[in-house]
Amino acid sequence: MNQDYQLAKAKYEALGIDTEQVIASLQTVPISVHCWQGDDVKGFDFDGELSGGIQTTGNYPGRARTPEELMADMDRVFSLDGGAHKLNLHACYAIFEDGEWADRDALMPKHFAKWVAFAKERGMGLDFNPTFFSHPKANGLTLSSPDEEIRRFWVRHGQACLRIAEYFAAETGIPCVMNVWIPDGYKDIPADRFSPRARFMQSMDEILGIGYDRQKVLVCLESKVFGIGLESYTVGSAEFGMGYVLSRGIVPLMDNGHYHPTEMVSDKISSMLLFSPKLALHVTRAVRWDSDHVVRLDDETMEIAKEIVASGRIEDVAIALDYFDASINRIAAWTVGLRNFRKALLIAMLTPHESLKQLQNEGRHTELMVMQEELKAYPWGAVWGEYCRRCGVKEDAAWFDEVKTYEKEVLVKRS
Ligand code: RNT
Ligand code: ZN
């Protein structure tokens, strides 16, 4: 056994933590990997601009242009992080064959058969997202549109996606998280804030109204505070989202880029878990705005992981990544964020939560702070190294050599 790991193991043992058990359980935590980091959220069904108030910046070479390229790139990413994964798809990643094409309201399971085969071969589950943006009918409002034809179109899209999510769950045998996020909102002060929200509520009810197996599909609703060009009003605000999910018994999804800058998702997790049996997260990094930068191992990332682990409810939390950086090697961007959240979970699992809770309960706040700060210097890196070795992945930046080779041999040849 590696000597660094031996020493670390003993150090954690003194805190009452069994690193062997931690290593075993970290491997089983699925992190849902977002396909859209690989191609700058373009998808395969339309050739237009990314819309909906989200943006990728940069034109680093090597963007995946086809399903085959995207799959190959994702395989690279999966091979560089030890542990369970899910593959997170958007509806716009439908794969059409033999010149066939279907609009969003006519998507069918068969348009995702190749993704299902990909996931099954790798023994992983699939998550899904209807795509309410980057479409000619998404120039204004979608599910909250006052234009009944447009609104109905997007309701049909949501319903079609629900059927596809059921198909994913049935095929893989793993429940599918289906997340609804709509970009609907206004740049400037609206005359009527009420009606779009009432229509969104009605549309969501119509989507859920077709019925689905709640054990197999976890429908989520992701709220947001604003988007680019949608600064003054967001239909699916935090209050709308919370009211809707709790009253309909679906799952809240919190994206940590979707709140005011001093609001912390880490502080919201415990409240949501008290009122909702399940919770879903989009782990991202907002720099000054919802910029979707690569997830770093920063304080909030670690605090989010700590809250998940300390709650004792990790099984009830669906963890997904959500960012898109086109200014750096996309495989590295994916991998850094994925490994970082895995590291954050490891650090959280190596924390003696019970004894820290006791210090809090006994009012020993000085000692609590001392311990919290001292723990930061504990040798979690040695446990990470051992974890990676056991998973057969590179423990340090050596993984980047593989990415560099792939860039040279594959990515730069895409133009
Ligand atoms: C947008 C939301 C949403 C998207 C993806 C592509 O602000 O975060 O989750 O990023 O659906
Ligand atoms: Zn998100």
Side-chain angles (χ1 to χ4, degrees), residues 123-169:
M124 58 176 72
L126 285 162
D127 290 332
F128 200 43
N129 304 259
T131 311
F132 297 98
F133 53 84
S134 301
H135 185 282
K137 288 193 168 69
N139 287 329
L141 306 180
T142 64
L143 288 179
S144 71
S145 178
D147 180 332
E148 193 55 11
E149 218 176 287
I150 301 256
R151 191 187 70 78
R152 288 292 311 161
F153 173 86
W154 289 112
V155 166
R156 288 197 302 278
H157 175 56
Q159 293 170 336
C161 287
L162 204 42
R163 291 291 171 248
I164 294 162
E166 284 190 312
Y167 157 71
F168 286 173

Side-chain angles (χ1 to χ4, degrees), residues 222 255 258 282 322:
E222 178 182 14
D255 177 313
H258 289 193
H282 271 184
D322 181 17

Side-chain angles (χ1 to χ4, degrees), residues 159-204:
Q159 293 170 336
C161 287
L162 204 42
R163 291 291 171 248
I164 294 162
E166 284 190 312
Y167 157 71
F168 286 173
E171 286 288 325
T172 61
I174 299 169
C176 172
V177 173
M178 186 186 105
N179 176 48
V180 173
W181 168 70
I182 59 162
D184 298 27
Y186 286 115
K187 181 183 175 75
D188 224 319
I189 303 166
D192 178 10
R193 287 185 161 89
F194 192 87
S195 308
R197 287 184 173 138
R199 288 190 295 265
F200 185 24
M201 183 164 91
Q202 184 195 338
S203 298
M204 284 300 297

